[in-house]
Amino acid sequence: MKTLIVFAVVVALALAAPLDDSKTAQILRYENDNIGVDGYKWAFETSDGKAHQEQGELKKFSDEVAALVVRGSYSYTGDDGQVYTVNYIADENGFQPEGAHLPKA
């Protein structure tokens, strides 16, 4: 009988626990445009406040050298309730993020 009561309490506590928003988030917006060989563009937003957008295009440096140049940004709400945004570019110079909350080099 005690085992049954303990089991019932454990189940009740599990059902009463708050849900993790990231596991129940809904997609509010989704865009995907694959332009083909020369580039792409996509974006999404979720109900838990996350957003991400990115676009990439092929950049030719010479007849034999080309690289994908990617620009984008993402944002999310931190545990402190503040919205954090990161803008970035990734090109021949590497990944270069910028954000008000990120340290400057």
Side-chain angles (χ1 to χ4, degrees):
M1 183 65 166
K2 289 181 185 179
T3 306
L4 182 59
I5 293 172
V6 170
F7 180 73
V9 169
V10 169
V11 169
L13 287 174
L15 292 175
L19 294 175
D20 182 3
D21 285 344
S22 65
K23 293 181 182 177
T24 60
Q26 301 292 317
I27 296 174
L28 302 177
R29 181 176 70 97
Y30 176 74
E31 298 174 14
N32 186 13
D33 186 11
N34 186 345
I35 303 166
V37 185
D38 293 332
Y40 67 90
K41 184 189 300 187
W42 59 264
F44 73 83
E45 292 178 26
T46 60
S47 61
D48 61 351
K50 294 178 183 152
H52 195 149
Q53 61 185 19
E54 182 176 291
Q55 66 182 34
E57 61 182 313
L58 194 60
K59 181 178 177 183
K60 291 187 92 173
F61 298 102
S62 70
D63 289 339
E64 297 178 3
V65 179
L68 189 63
V69 176
V70 177
R71 291 176 175 16
S73 68
Y74 62 90
S75 62
Y76 61 93
T77 303
D79 292 337
D80 57 1
Q82 183 176 347
V83 176
Y84 294 94
T85 301
V86 176
N87 298 306
Y88 62 88
I89 183 169
D91 59 11
E92 68 275 7
N93 298 314
F95 181 70
Q96 305 154 57
E98 293 181 351
H101 63 289
L102 297 176
K104 304 283 188 232

